[in-house]
Each structure stands twice: as C-alpha cells, then as structure tokens.
Amino acid sequence: MSDLLPSERLAKLRALEEWLAWQLRDTRRKIEQVAQQVRATDGYVSEQDRRAGKPVGVTIHAADCANIHQPVTNLDATKAQYALLKDSSFHRPCQRCRPDKLLGLTKE
C-alpha cells in the first residue's frame, strides 16, 4: 500500500475497518446464539429471594447466569417454564439472563 497516495490508503483502511467491524458484530451475534443454545441445554435454577430472612419470592435464572448470589435449586426447562407461568407474582425471571425469553415465554 506504500505506493498509494495517502487519500487512497485512507480509503482502503476505512474499508478494512468497516469490514472488520462487521466481522466482529457477526462473531458476537454467533457467540450469543451458541450461548443461548448452551443455556437451554444446561438448564435453569431457582434462587430464593429473601428480605429480613423471610422468603418473598423466587428468581428463575439460566444455569450459567452471573447474577446468582445464593444457593440454588436446579430445574429443567419444563419446571422452569411451569414456575414462571404458574405464579408470576412469586416466580420472577432474572432480568440479566432472561430465562423467560430463552424458554419462549416472551418475545422481547
């Protein structure tokens, strides 16, 4: 590229930058798709929510969620879906890993 004018080199470098940015976005999209598949096969967990030592609800997480802070109970997809549908005022989906979305309960 050294035999090109600076303006030509700049144009080529910008085109390369756009292509690399597209590749990065596409790779991140693919990573998220595979991560969702892994979460769907690895299962779900329920985490008891407590205030002043008393249970006030249950948060349902994907098993690999980084937002889990307490001991959990393992659930398969059917049990997690049932818990979320059965009593939505007591069983809440984690807002970080969105098990409701992974289970196909919401489209958001």
Side-chain angles (χ1 to χ4, degrees):
M1 274 204 308
S2 61
D3 58 338
L4 298 175
L5 295 173
S7 61
E8 294 171 324
R9 282 198 322 258
L10 180 60
K12 284 190 175 210
L13 287 170
R14 284 194 173 143
L16 177 62
E17 178 185 36
E18 286 180 37
W19 182 74
L20 290 171
W22 175 85
Q23 269 199 324
L24 181 59
R25 284 190 308 274
D26 188 56
T27 301
R28 287 179 175 159
R29 181 186 57 78
K30 289 176 184 175
I31 287 169
E32 182 54 32
Q33 286 175 342
V34 173
Q36 285 180 359
Q37 291 171 355
V38 168
R39 285 191 295 264
T41 58
D42 280 352
Y44 300 86
V45 297
S46 63
E47 178 183 33
Q48 189 75 231
D49 299 328
R50 296 183 176 273
R51 289 200 186 106
K54 296 182 181 179
V56 293
V58 174
T59 301
I60 307 295
H61 300 272
D64 66 344
C65 181
N67 211 27
I68 299 170
H69 303 292
Q70 301 178 39
V72 297
T73 302
N74 291 324
L75 304 170
D76 62 20
T78 303
K79 288 180 182 176
Q81 190 172 27
Y82 178 75
L84 289 169
L85 291 173
K86 175 184 159 193
D87 186 358
S88 60
S89 64
F90 191 74
H91 295 88
R92 295 178 288 279
C94 171
Q95 294 303 302
R96 183 173 186 173
C97 64
R98 298 300 308 267
D100 52 336
K101 185 177 178 184
L102 295 173
L103 290 164
L105 302 176
T106 61
K107 302 221 187 257
E108 299 175 28

